[in-house]
Amino acid sequence: KQEVTQIPAALSVPEGENLVLNCSFTDSAIYNLQWFRQDPGKGLTSLLLIQSSQREQTSGRLNASLDKSSGRSTLYIAASQPGDSATYLCAVRGGDYKLSFGAGTTVTVRA
Amino acid sequence: DAGVTQSPTHLIKTRGQQVTLRCSPKSGHDTVSWYQQALGQGPQFIFQYYEEEERQRGNFPDRFSGHQFPNYSSELNVNALLLGDSALYLCASSRGTASFNQPQHFGDGTRLSIL
C-alpha cells in the first residue's frame, strides 16, 4: 500500500524567503507525481505534474524535483509572497487509477 | 472553458439520511473520480467512473455508491449517513484513454456536515 508523507505539517516564513516543501512515498513504482495547492475550504489547484521518467518540472517561481528511486519529491517556491499562503499537497499515481495523497504542508508567508 | 463543477457547495444532513452530490467534468474529459477529504487530512479515493461503469473502488463501504451519465457527469450517493461522513467531497476529472499520464483536475468540492 502506498504511503505518502509530507514534512513539515506547517511552515511559517517571512515574505521573500524561498520555500522548500518535502514529499516522500514508500512505493517507487509510480507513473507520476502531482503537486496541488488548496486554499481554506476550497478544492485543489494543480501546480505541477512530473512523469516518472522526468527529474524536474518548472512553472514560473515553482520548481519540483523527483527522485523516484529514493521515493522523494521537493517543491521549491522562489521569493515567497503572502499570496502563496495555502496548503500544498503532493499525490502519486501508482499502477492503478487512484491518486494517493499526503496530508499536506500548510504554508504561511508573513508580510 | 469550464472546469470541474460540483453542486451543491454546502449541505447539512442528519444521521441516517441519504445524500446525492453532483459533478460535471471539465470539457473534453470523460473520467470522473470522487475523493473524501476529512479536516486536516489528504483526500482519500472513493471510486472512479469511466464509460458509465465503476472502474476502481477505494476502501469505502457499500453505503457509498455512484453513477456516471452518458454526458460524463456523475453523482455520488451516500446512504445511512454517519457523523464520520462529515467531510469535503471532491470530484476530479481526466481523459480516460490517457488518464495515467494526464493531470487530474479538481472541482471546489461539496462540504457535507452531518448533525
Side-chain angles (χ1 to χ4, degrees), chain B residues 83-96:
Chain B
L83 292 177
D85 295 332
S86 294
L88 180 67
Y89 288 84
L90 294 163
C91 172
S93 74
S94 58
R95 291 185 191 174

Side-chain angles (χ1 to χ4, degrees), chain A residues 35 50 55-57 63-67 72-76:
Chain A
W35 282 94
I50 311 176
R55 296 285 293 182
E56 66 179 318
Q57 275 285 359
N63 174 275
S65 66
L66 174 64
D67 184 342
R72 294 182 182 182
S73 176
T74 302
L75 178 66
Y76 302 89

